[in-house]
Coordinates of all heavy atoms in Angstrom, one line a residue:
M1 N -80.7 -25.4 77.9 CA -79.9 -25.9 76.9 C -80.1 -25.1 75.6 O -81.2 -24.8 75.2 CB -80.2 -27.4 76.7 CG -79.5 -28.0 75.5 SD -78.5 -29.4 75.6 CE -79.3 -30.8 75.9
S2 N -79.0 -24.9 74.9 CA -79.1 -24.1 73.7 C -79.5 -24.9 72.5 O -79.2 -26.1 72.4 CB -77.8 -23.5 73.5 OG -77.8 -22.8 72.2
T3 N -80.2 -24.3 71.6 CA -80.6 -25.0 70.4 C -79.7 -24.7 69.2 O -79.8 -25.3 68.2 CB -82.0 -24.7 70.0 OG1 -82.1 -23.3 69.8 CG2 -83.0 -25.1 71.0
R4 N -78.7 -23.9 69.4 CA -77.7 -23.5 68.4 C -76.8 -24.7 68.2 O -76.1 -25.1 69.2 CB -77.1 -22.2 68.6 CG -78.0 -21.1 68.6 CD -77.3 -19.7 68.6 NE -76.4 -19.7 69.8 CZ -75.8 -18.6 70.2 NH1 -75.9 -17.5 69.5 NH2 -75.1 -18.6 71.3
P5 N -76.6 -25.2 67.0 CA -75.6 -26.3 66.8 C -74.2 -26.0 67.2 O -73.5 -26.8 67.6 CB -75.8 -26.6 65.3 CG -77.0 -25.9 64.8 CD -77.3 -24.8 65.8
S6 N -73.8 -24.7 67.0 CA -72.4 -24.5 67.3 C -72.2 -24.5 68.8 O -71.1 -25.0 69.3 CB -72.0 -23.1 66.8 OG -72.8 -22.0 67.4
L7 N -73.1 -24.1 69.6 CA -72.9 -24.2 71.1 C -73.1 -25.6 71.5 O -72.3 -26.0 72.4 CB -74.1 -23.3 71.7 CG -73.7 -22.7 73.1 CD1 -72.4 -22.0 73.0 CD2 -74.8 -21.7 73.5
L8 N -73.9 -26.4 70.9 CA -74.0 -27.8 71.2 C -72.7 -28.6 70.9 O -72.3 -29.3 71.7 CB -75.2 -28.4 70.4 CG -75.5 -29.9 70.7 CD1 -75.9 -30.0 72.2 CD2 -76.6 -30.3 69.8
A9 N -72.1 -28.2 69.8 CA -70.9 -28.9 69.4 C -69.8 -28.5 70.4 O -68.9 -29.3 70.8 CB -70.5 -28.4 68.0
L10 N -69.7 -27.2 70.8 CA -68.8 -26.8 71.8 C -68.9 -27.5 73.1 O -67.9 -27.9 73.7 CB -68.9 -25.2 72.0 CG -68.0 -24.6 73.1 CD1 -66.5 -24.8 72.6 CD2 -68.3 -23.2 73.3
Q11 N -70.2 -27.7 73.6 CA -70.4 -28.4 74.8 C -70.0 -29.8 74.7 O -69.4 -30.4 75.6 CB -71.9 -28.3 75.2 CG -72.4 -27.0 75.6 CD -73.9 -26.9 75.8 OE1 -74.6 -27.9 75.5 NE2 -74.3 -25.8 76.4
F12 N -70.2 -30.4 73.5 CA -69.8 -31.8 73.3 C -68.3 -32.0 73.3 O -67.8 -32.8 74.0 CB -70.3 -32.3 72.0 CG -70.0 -33.7 71.6 CD1 -70.6 -34.8 72.3 CD2 -69.0 -34.0 70.6 CE1 -70.2 -36.1 72.1 CE2 -68.7 -35.3 70.4 CZ -69.3 -36.3 71.0
V13 N -67.6 -31.0 72.7 CA -66.1 -31.0 72.7 C -65.6 -30.9 74.1 O -64.6 -31.5 74.5 CB -65.5 -30.0 71.7 CG1 -64.0 -29.9 71.9 CG2 -65.9 -30.4 70.3
L14 N -66.1 -29.9 74.8 CA -65.7 -29.7 76.2 C -65.9 -30.9 77.1 O -65.1 -31.2 77.9 CB -66.4 -28.5 76.8 CG -66.0 -27.1 76.3 CD1 -66.8 -26.0 76.8 CD2 -64.5 -26.9 76.6
T15 N -67.1 -31.5 76.9 CA -67.4 -32.8 77.6 C -66.3 -33.9 77.3 O -65.8 -34.5 78.2 CB -68.7 -33.3 77.3 OG1 -69.7 -32.3 77.6 CG2 -69.1 -34.6 78.1
L16 N -65.9 -34.0 76.1 CA -64.9 -35.0 75.7 C -63.6 -34.6 76.3 O -62.8 -35.5 76.8 CB -64.8 -35.1 74.2 CG -65.9 -35.7 73.5 CD1 -65.7 -35.7 72.0 CD2 -66.1 -37.2 73.9
I17 N -63.2 -33.4 76.4 CA -61.9 -32.9 77.0 C -61.9 -33.3 78.5 O -60.9 -33.8 79.0 CB -61.7 -31.4 76.7 CG1 -61.4 -31.2 75.2 CG2 -60.5 -30.9 77.6 CD1 -61.4 -29.8 74.8
I18 N -63.0 -32.9 79.2 CA -63.1 -33.2 80.6 C -63.0 -34.7 80.9 O -62.3 -35.1 81.8 CB -64.4 -32.5 81.2 CG1 -64.3 -31.0 81.1 CG2 -64.6 -33.0 82.6 CD1 -65.6 -30.3 81.5
L19 N -63.7 -35.4 80.1 CA -63.7 -36.9 80.2 C -62.3 -37.4 80.0 O -61.8 -38.3 80.7 CB -64.7 -37.5 79.2 CG -64.7 -39.1 79.3 CD1 -65.2 -39.6 80.6 CD2 -65.6 -39.6 78.1
G20 N -61.6 -36.9 79.0 CA -60.2 -37.4 78.8 C -59.3 -37.1 79.9 O -58.5 -37.9 80.3
V21 N -59.4 -35.9 80.5 CA -58.6 -35.5 81.6 C -58.9 -36.4 82.8 O -58.0 -36.9 83.5 CB -58.8 -34.1 82.0 CG1 -58.1 -33.7 83.4 CG2 -58.3 -33.1 80.9
L22 N -60.2 -36.7 83.0 CA -60.5 -37.6 84.2 C -60.0 -39.0 83.9 O -59.5 -39.7 84.9 CB -62.0 -37.6 84.3 CG -62.7 -36.4 84.9 CD1 -64.2 -36.4 84.9 CD2 -62.1 -36.1 86.3
L23 N -60.1 -39.5 82.7 CA -59.6 -40.8 82.5 C -58.1 -41.0 82.5 O -57.6 -42.0 82.9 CB -60.1 -41.3 81.1 CG -61.6 -41.7 81.0 CD1 -62.0 -42.0 79.6 CD2 -61.9 -42.8 82.0
M24 N -57.4 -39.9 82.2 CA -55.9 -39.9 82.3 C -55.5 -40.0 83.7 O -54.5 -40.6 84.0 CB -55.3 -38.6 81.6 CG -55.3 -38.6 80.2 SD -54.4 -37.2 79.4 CE -54.7 -35.9 80.5
R25 N -56.2 -39.5 84.6 CA -55.9 -39.5 86.0 C -56.6 -40.6 86.8 O -56.5 -40.7 88.0 CB -56.3 -38.2 86.7 CG -55.7 -36.9 86.0 CD -54.3 -36.7 86.4 NE -53.8 -35.5 85.8 CZ -52.5 -35.2 85.6 NH1 -51.7 -36.2 85.9 NH2 -52.2 -34.1 85.0
A26 N -57.2 -41.5 86.1 CA -58.0 -42.5 86.8 C -57.2 -43.5 87.6 O -57.5 -43.8 88.8 CB -58.8 -43.3 85.8
E27 N -56.0 -44.0 87.2 CA -55.2 -44.9 87.9 C -54.7 -44.3 89.2 O -54.7 -44.9 90.2 CB -54.1 -45.4 87.0 CG -54.5 -46.2 85.9 CD -55.2 -47.5 86.3 OE1 -54.8 -48.1 87.3 OE2 -56.2 -47.9 85.6
S28 N -54.2 -43.0 89.1 CA -53.7 -42.4 90.3 C -54.9 -42.1 91.3 O -54.7 -42.3 92.5 CB -53.0 -41.1 90.0 OG -53.8 -40.3 89.4
A29 N -56.0 -41.8 90.8 CA -57.2 -41.6 91.7 C -57.6 -42.9 92.4 O -57.9 -42.9 93.6 CB -58.3 -41.0 91.0
I30 N -57.5 -44.0 91.7 CA -57.8 -45.3 92.3 C -56.8 -45.6 93.3 O -57.2 -46.1 94.4 CB -57.9 -46.4 91.2 CG1 -59.1 -46.1 90.3 CG2 -58.0 -47.7 91.8 CD1 -59.1 -47.0 89.0
A31 N -55.6 -45.4 93.1 CA -54.5 -45.7 94.1 C -54.7 -44.9 95.4 O -54.6 -45.4 96.5 CB -53.2 -45.4 93.5
V32 N -55.0 -43.6 95.2 CA -55.2 -42.7 96.3 C -56.4 -43.1 97.1 O -56.4 -43.3 98.3 CB -55.4 -41.2 95.9 CG1 -55.9 -40.4 97.0 CG2 -54.0 -40.7 95.3
A33 N -57.5 -43.4 96.4 CA -58.8 -43.9 97.1 C -58.5 -45.2 97.8 O -59.0 -45.4 99.0 CB -59.9 -44.1 96.1
G34 N -57.7 -46.1 97.2 CA -57.4 -47.4 97.8 C -56.6 -47.2 99.1 O -56.9 -47.9 100.1
S35 N -55.6 -46.4 99.1 CA -54.8 -46.2 100.3 C -55.6 -45.4 101.3 O -55.5 -45.8 102.5 CB -53.5 -45.4 99.9 OG -53.8 -44.2 99.4
L36 N -56.5 -44.5 100.9 CA -57.3 -43.8 101.9 C -58.3 -44.7 102.6 O -58.4 -44.7 103.8 CB -58.0 -42.7 101.2 CG -58.9 -41.8 102.1 CD1 -58.0 -41.1 103.1 CD2 -59.7 -40.8 101.3
V37 N -59.0 -45.6 101.9 CA -59.9 -46.5 102.5 C -59.2 -47.6 103.3 O -59.8 -48.0 104.3 CB -60.9 -47.1 101.5 CG1 -61.8 -46.1 100.8 CG2 -60.2 -48.0 100.5
S38 N -58.0 -47.9 102.9 CA -57.3 -48.9 103.7 C -56.9 -48.3 105.1 O -56.9 -49.0 106.1 CB -56.0 -49.3 103.0 OG -56.3 -50.1 101.9
I39 N -56.5 -47.0 105.1 CA -56.2 -46.3 106.3 C -57.4 -46.2 107.2 O -57.4 -46.4 108.4 CB -55.5 -45.0 106.0 CG1 -54.1 -45.1 105.4 CG2 -55.4 -44.1 107.3 CD1 -53.6 -43.9 104.8
L40 N -58.5 -45.8 106.6 CA -59.7 -45.5 107.4 C -60.5 -46.7 107.8 O -61.0 -46.8 108.9 CB -60.6 -44.6 106.5 CG -60.2 -43.2 106.3 CD1 -61.1 -42.5 105.4 CD2 -60.0 -42.4 107.5
A41 N -60.5 -47.8 106.9 CA -61.4 -48.9 107.3 C -60.8 -50.3 107.1 O -61.4 -51.3 107.2 CB -62.7 -48.8 106.4
G42 N -59.5 -50.3 106.7 CA -58.8 -51.6 106.6 C -59.3 -52.4 105.4 O -59.6 -51.8 104.4
S43 N -59.3 -53.7 105.6 CA -59.7 -54.5 104.4 C -61.1 -54.4 104.1 O -61.6 -54.5 103.0 CB -59.4 -56.0 104.8 OG -60.2 -56.4 105.9
R44 N -62.0 -54.0 105.1 CA -63.4 -53.8 104.8 C -63.6 -52.6 103.9 O -64.5 -52.5 103.1 CB -64.2 -53.5 106.2 CG -65.6 -53.4 106.0 CD -66.3 -54.6 105.9 NE -67.7 -54.4 106.0 CZ -68.5 -55.0 105.2 NH1 -68.2 -55.9 104.3 NH2 -69.8 -54.8 105.3
G45 N -62.7 -51.6 104.1 CA -62.7 -50.4 103.2 C -62.4 -50.7 101.8 O -63.0 -50.2 100.9
R46 N -61.5 -51.7 101.6 CA -61.1 -52.1 100.2 C -62.3 -52.8 99.6 O -62.6 -52.6 98.4 CB -59.9 -53.1 100.2 CG -58.6 -52.4 100.4 CD -58.0 -52.2 99.1 NE -56.6 -51.8 99.2 CZ -56.1 -51.0 98.4 NH1 -56.7 -50.6 97.3 NH2 -54.9 -50.6 98.5
E47 N -63.0 -53.6 100.4 CA -64.2 -54.3 99.9 C -65.3 -53.3 99.5 O -66.0 -53.5 98.4 CB -64.8 -55.3 100.9 CG -63.9 -56.5 101.2 CD -64.4 -57.3 102.4 OE1 -65.6 -57.0 102.8 OE2 -63.6 -58.1 102.9
M48 N -65.5 -52.3 100.3 CA -66.5 -51.3 100.0 C -66.1 -50.4 98.8 O -67.0 -50.1 97.9 CB -66.7 -50.3 101.2 CG -67.2 -51.0 102.4 SD -68.8 -51.8 102.1 CE -69.9 -50.4 102.0
L49 N -64.8 -50.2 98.6 CA -64.3 -49.5 97.4 C -64.6 -50.3 96.1 O -65.1 -49.8 95.1 CB -62.9 -49.2 97.5 CG -62.3 -48.4 96.4 CD1 -62.9 -47.0 96.3 CD2 -60.8 -48.2 96.6
Q50 N -64.4 -51.6 96.2 CA -64.6 -52.5 95.1 C -66.1 -52.6 94.8 O -66.5 -52.5 93.6 CB -64.1 -53.9 95.4 CG -64.1 -54.8 94.2 CD -63.2 -54.4 93.1 OE1 -62.1 -53.9 93.4 NE2 -63.6 -54.5 91.9
L51 N -66.9 -52.6 95.9 CA -68.4 -52.6 95.7 C -68.8 -51.4 95.0 O -69.7 -51.4 94.1 CB -69.1 -52.8 97.0 CG -70.6 -52.9 97.0 CD1 -71.1 -54.1 96.1 CD2 -71.1 -53.0 98.4
A52 N -68.3 -50.2 95.4 CA -68.6 -48.9 94.8 C -68.2 -48.9 93.3 O -69.0 -48.4 92.5 CB -68.0 -47.8 95.5
A53 N -67.1 -49.4 93.0 CA -66.7 -49.5 91.6 C -67.6 -50.4 90.7 O -67.9 -50.0 89.7 CB -65.2 -50.0 91.5
Y54 N -68.0 -51.5 91.3 CA -68.9 -52.4 90.5 C -70.3 -51.7 90.4 O -70.9 -51.8 89.3 CB -69.2 -53.7 91.3 CG -68.0 -54.7 91.2 CD1 -67.7 -55.5 92.3 CD2 -67.1 -54.6 90.1 CE1 -66.6 -56.4 92.2 CE2 -66.0 -55.5 90.1 CZ -65.8 -56.4 91.1 OH -64.7 -57.3 91.1
T55 N -70.7 -51.0 91.4 CA -72.0 -50.3 91.3 C -71.9 -49.2 90.2 O -72.8 -49.0 89.4 CB -72.3 -49.6 92.7 OG1 -72.4 -50.7 93.7 CG2 -73.6 -48.9 92.6
I56 N -70.9 -48.4 90.2 CA -70.7 -47.3 89.2 C -70.7 -47.9 87.8 O -71.3 -47.4 86.9 CB -69.5 -46.5 89.5 CG1 -69.7 -45.7 90.8 CG2 -69.1 -45.5 88.3 CD1 -68.4 -45.0 91.4
R57 N -69.9 -49.0 87.6 CA -69.8 -49.6 86.3 C -71.2 -50.2 85.9 O -71.6 -50.0 84.7 CB -68.8 -50.8 86.3 CG -67.4 -50.3 86.3 CD -66.5 -51.4 86.2 NE -65.1 -51.0 86.5 CZ -64.3 -51.5 87.4 NH1 -64.7 -52.5 88.1 NH2 -63.1 -51.0 87.6
G58 N -71.9 -50.7 86.8 CA -73.3 -51.3 86.5 C -74.2 -50.2 86.1 O -75.0 -50.3 85.2
V59 N -74.2 -49.1 86.8 CA -75.1 -48.0 86.6 C -74.8 -47.4 85.2 O -75.6 -47.1 84.4 CB -75.1 -46.9 87.6 CG1 -75.8 -45.6 87.2 CG2 -75.7 -47.5 88.9
A60 N -73.5 -47.2 84.9 CA -73.0 -46.6 83.6 C -73.5 -47.5 82.5 O -74.0 -47.1 81.5 CB -71.6 -46.4 83.6
F61 N -73.3 -48.9 82.7 CA -73.7 -49.8 81.6 C -75.2 -49.8 81.5 O -75.7 -49.8 80.3 CB -73.2 -51.2 82.0 CG -73.6 -52.3 81.0 CD1 -72.9 -52.3 79.8 CD2 -74.6 -53.2 81.3 CE1 -73.2 -53.3 78.9 CE2 -74.9 -54.1 80.3 CZ -74.2 -54.2 79.1
G62 N -76.0 -49.7 82.5 CA -77.4 -49.7 82.4 C -77.9 -48.5 81.7 O -78.8 -48.5 80.9
V63 N -77.3 -47.3 82.0 CA -77.7 -46.1 81.4 C -77.4 -46.1 79.9 O -78.2 -45.7 79.1 CB -77.0 -44.9 82.1 CG1 -77.2 -43.6 81.3 CG2 -77.6 -44.7 83.5
T64 N -76.2 -46.6 79.6 CA -75.8 -46.7 78.2 C -76.8 -47.7 77.4 O -77.3 -47.3 76.3 CB -74.4 -47.2 78.0 OG1 -73.6 -46.3 78.8 CG2 -73.9 -47.2 76.6
V65 N -77.0 -48.8 77.9 CA -77.9 -49.8 77.2 C -79.3 -49.2 77.1 O -79.9 -49.4 76.0 CB -77.9 -51.2 78.0 CG1 -79.0 -52.1 77.4 CG2 -76.5 -51.8 77.8
T66 N -79.8 -48.6 78.1 CA -81.1 -48.0 78.1 C -81.2 -46.9 77.0 O -82.2 -46.9 76.2 CB -81.5 -47.4 79.4 OG1 -81.5 -48.4 80.4 CG2 -82.9 -46.8 79.4
A67 N -80.2 -46.1 76.9 CA -80.2 -45.1 75.9 C -80.2 -45.7 74.5 O -80.8 -45.2 73.6 CB -79.0 -44.1 76.1
V68 N -79.4 -46.7 74.3 CA -79.3 -47.3 72.9 C -80.7 -48.0 72.6 O -81.1 -47.8 71.5 CB -78.2 -48.4 72.9 CG1 -78.3 -49.3 71.7 CG2 -76.8 -47.7 73.0
V69 N -81.3 -48.6 73.5 CA -82.6 -49.3 73.3 C -83.6 -48.2 73.0 O -84.5 -48.3 72.0 CB -83.0 -50.2 74.4 CG1 -84.4 -50.7 74.3 CG2 -82.1 -51.4 74.5
E70 N -83.6 -47.2 73.8 CA -84.6 -46.1 73.5 C -84.4 -45.4 72.2 O -85.4 -45.1 71.5 CB -84.5 -45.0 74.7 CG -85.1 -45.4 75.9 CD -85.0 -44.3 77.0 OE1 -84.5 -43.2 76.7 OE2 -85.4 -44.6 78.1
A71 N -83.2 -45.2 71.8 CA -82.9 -44.7 70.5 C -83.4 -45.6 69.4 O -83.9 -45.1 68.4 CB -81.4 -44.3 70.3
A72 N -83.1 -46.9 69.5 CA -83.6 -47.8 68.5 C -85.1 -47.9 68.4 O -85.7 -47.9 67.3 CB -83.0 -49.2 68.8
V73 N -85.8 -47.9 69.5 CA -87.3 -47.9 69.5 C -87.8 -46.6 68.9 O -88.7 -46.6 68.1 CB -87.8 -48.1 71.0 CG1 -89.3 -47.9 71.0 CG2 -87.4 -49.6 71.4
A74 N -87.2 -45.5 69.3 CA -87.6 -44.2 68.7 C -87.4 -44.2 67.2 O -88.2 -43.7 66.4 CB -86.9 -43.0 69.4
G75 N -86.2 -44.7 66.8 CA -86.0 -44.8 65.3 C -87.0 -45.6 64.6 O -87.5 -45.3 63.5
I76 N -87.3 -46.8 65.1 CA -88.3 -47.7 64.5 C -89.6 -46.9 64.5 O -90.4 -47.0 63.5 CB -88.4 -49.0 65.3 CG1 -87.1 -49.8 65.1 CG2 -89.6 -49.8 64.9 CD1 -86.9 -51.0 66.0
G77 N -90.0 -46.3 65.6 CA -91.3 -45.5 65.7 C -91.3 -44.4 64.6 O -92.4 -44.3 64.0
L78 N -90.3 -43.7 64.5 CA -90.2 -42.6 63.5 C -90.3 -43.2 62.1 O -91.0 -42.7 61.2 CB -89.0 -41.8 63.6 CG -89.0 -40.9 64.9 CD1 -87.6 -40.3 65.0 CD2 -90.1 -39.8 64.7
K79 N -89.7 -44.4 61.8 CA -89.7 -45.0 60.5 C -91.1 -45.5 60.2 O -91.6 -45.3 59.1 CB -88.7 -46.2 60.5 CG -88.6 -46.8 59.2 CD -87.9 -46.0 58.2 CE -87.6 -46.7 56.9 NZ -87.0 -45.9 55.9
L80 N -91.8 -46.1 61.2 CA -93.2 -46.6 61.0 C -94.2 -45.4 60.7 O -95.2 -45.5 60.0 CB -93.6 -47.4 62.2 CG -92.9 -48.8 62.3 CD1 -93.4 -49.4 63.6 CD2 -93.2 -49.7 61.1
A81 N -93.9 -44.3 61.4 CA -94.7 -43.1 61.3 C -94.5 -42.4 59.9 O -95.3 -41.5 59.6 CB -94.5 -42.1 62.4
G82 N -93.4 -42.7 59.3 CA -93.1 -42.1 58.0 C -92.4 -40.8 58.2 O -92.4 -40.0 57.2
A83 N -91.8 -40.5 59.3 CA -91.0 -39.3 59.5 C -89.7 -39.3 58.7 O -89.1 -40.4 58.5 CB -90.7 -39.0 60.9
P84 N -89.3 -38.2 58.1 CA -88.1 -38.2 57.3 C -86.8 -38.5 58.2 O -86.7 -38.2 59.3 CB -88.0 -36.8 56.7 CG -88.9 -36.0 57.5 CD -89.9 -36.9 58.2

């Protein structure tokens, strides 16, 4: 990973662009996945797709909450240590 701020900013912007493209296509991807699992596994496939969606959401939420808590604890620790 680069330590130059300009490269870091470029990576951040590219990440946002990729995320935006993926989110724009999310509904059609869900429809394709739904029809594919229905063909392959019937109603059981739909249940598994829903379970996968819940799992992905849960993991994403857990990672986000963990990051926020870690940042808050680190900030408090830095404040107590007197870091600028």
Side-chain angles (χ1 to χ4, degrees):
M1 170 124 69
S2 177
T3 56
R4 293 189 301 188
S6 60
L7 210 49
L8 184 63
L10 177 65
Q11 290 175 350
F12 181 72
V13 169
L14 288 175
T15 301
L16 289 179
I17 291 170
I18 292 169
L19 179 62
V21 169
L22 289 175
L23 287 176
M24 285 189 324
R25 305 280 184 204
E27 292 299 321
S28 62
I30 291 169
V32 169
S35 62
L36 182 64
V37 297
S38 291
I39 293 169
L40 294 175
S43 64
R44 184 79 172 140
R46 283 262 190 214
E47 292 173 11
M48 296 303 289
L49 183 63
Q50 190 65 39
L51 181 62
Y54 288 149
T55 302
I56 291 168
R57 286 185 192 125
V59 169
F61 181 73
V63 167
T64 303
V65 169
T66 301
V68 168
V69 170
E70 285 181 2
V73 170
I76 291 169
L78 289 171
K79 185 71 171 172
L80 291 174

